[in-house]
Amino acid sequence: MTTIAVLGNGRVGGNLATALTGAGHEVTVADRAPGAAADAARTARIVINATPGAGSLERLAALREELSGKILVDVANATVDGPDGLPADLVYPGSSLAEQLQEALPETRVVKTLNTMLFPVMTAPATLTQAPDVFLSGEDPQAKQSVRELLIDLGWRKEWITDLGGIQTARATEAAILFVPHVIRSSGFTPFAISIAR
């Protein structure tokens, strides 16, 4: 059992919180109330960033003290949305939200994952008709191992989890968000994930 704080109570945060609670973890969800994120982060071992990616850096940089020594699991994509509300461009071209967070929070171990799929797949990967992949990016091997264990609790098989390397590799998985609007326009909001055929 791990103490986990989920920052963000939208579809992504709520879905993850429900699934992780069901897996036996002690989960706190922080809404936008003043001080809620700080209180939740202070008492957790692992903090999940499920806030809207375009504003994540500012929100989390303000929690530098509370996040010191913690594992920060970043599942957000920082995008500029188009007129239809779907991602149209990246906020950090040539970089990534995960890299920006790691730079702003040097005492926090940032791990990027779960950002290459529609949110229902995050907690139900086996419902897809073919095996999906989930990726890990981060500098700290022990932090990535802790996140790997959480992914397994969410239903991800070991062979579906790929460690891409350091935090800089997150710029590749974050760029995959640019596929999403085109797939949605073509096929609708049917759950899908980016996967590597082997």
Side-chain angles (χ1 to χ4, degrees):
M1 192 268 295
T2 300
T3 53
I4 300 171
V6 179
L7 307 185
N9 62 347
R11 293 180 299 179
V12 173
N15 189 38
L16 287 169
T18 298
L20 290 167
T21 300
H25 298 287
E26 183 181 324
V27 181
T28 302
V29 179
D31 58 21
R32 289 176 177 263
D39 290 343
R42 191 177 292 114
T43 57
R45 175 175 171 260
I46 295 176
V47 178
I48 298 175
N49 175 38
T51 65
S56 290
L57 181 59
E58 183 180 358
R59 279 193 193 97
L60 273 68
L63 301 175
R64 181 170 173 165
E65 182 180 332
E66 290 84 358
L67 291 171
S68 179
K70 307 296 174 73
I71 297 170
L72 177 63
V73 183
D74 179 31
V75 305
N77 286 306
T79 59
V80 178
D81 291 342
D84 58 1
L86 294 175
D89 208 347
L90 302 173
V91 172
Y92 305 108
S95 183
S96 64
L97 172 58
E99 289 172 87
Q100 298 293 316
L101 287 169
Q102 186 61 87
E103 184 176 346
L105 302 165
E107 303 302 319
T108 303
R109 296 173 290 166
V110 178
V111 179
K112 189 79 182 192
T113 194
L114 289 173
N115 64 309
T116 55
M117 62 203 69
L118 290 191
F119 80 92
V121 181
M122 294 178 176
T123 58
T127 59
L128 297 182
T129 56
Q130 63 193 58
D133 284 288
V134 64
F135 306 100
L136 295 170
S137 299
E139 298 299 326
D140 188 284
Q142 288 183 319
K144 285 194 281 190
Q145 180 57 35
S146 295
V147 176
R148 184 184 294 269
E149 291 166 9
L150 283 188
L151 292 172
I152 291 169
D153 286 346
L154 291 173
W156 290 89
R157 296 181 189 170
K158 291 179 182 178
E159 63 269 24
W160 296 349
I161 304 171
T162 300
D163 185 343
L164 295 178
I167 200 69
Q168 191 177 52
T169 63
R171 65 181 63 177
T173 60
E174 288 189 27
I177 190 67
L178 299 180
F179 273 105
V180 170
H182 308 298
V183 175
I184 289 173
R185 291 184 192 111
S186 173
S187 308
F189 278 92
T190 307
F192 70 89
I194 303 293
S195 61
I196 308 297
R198 296 178 177 87

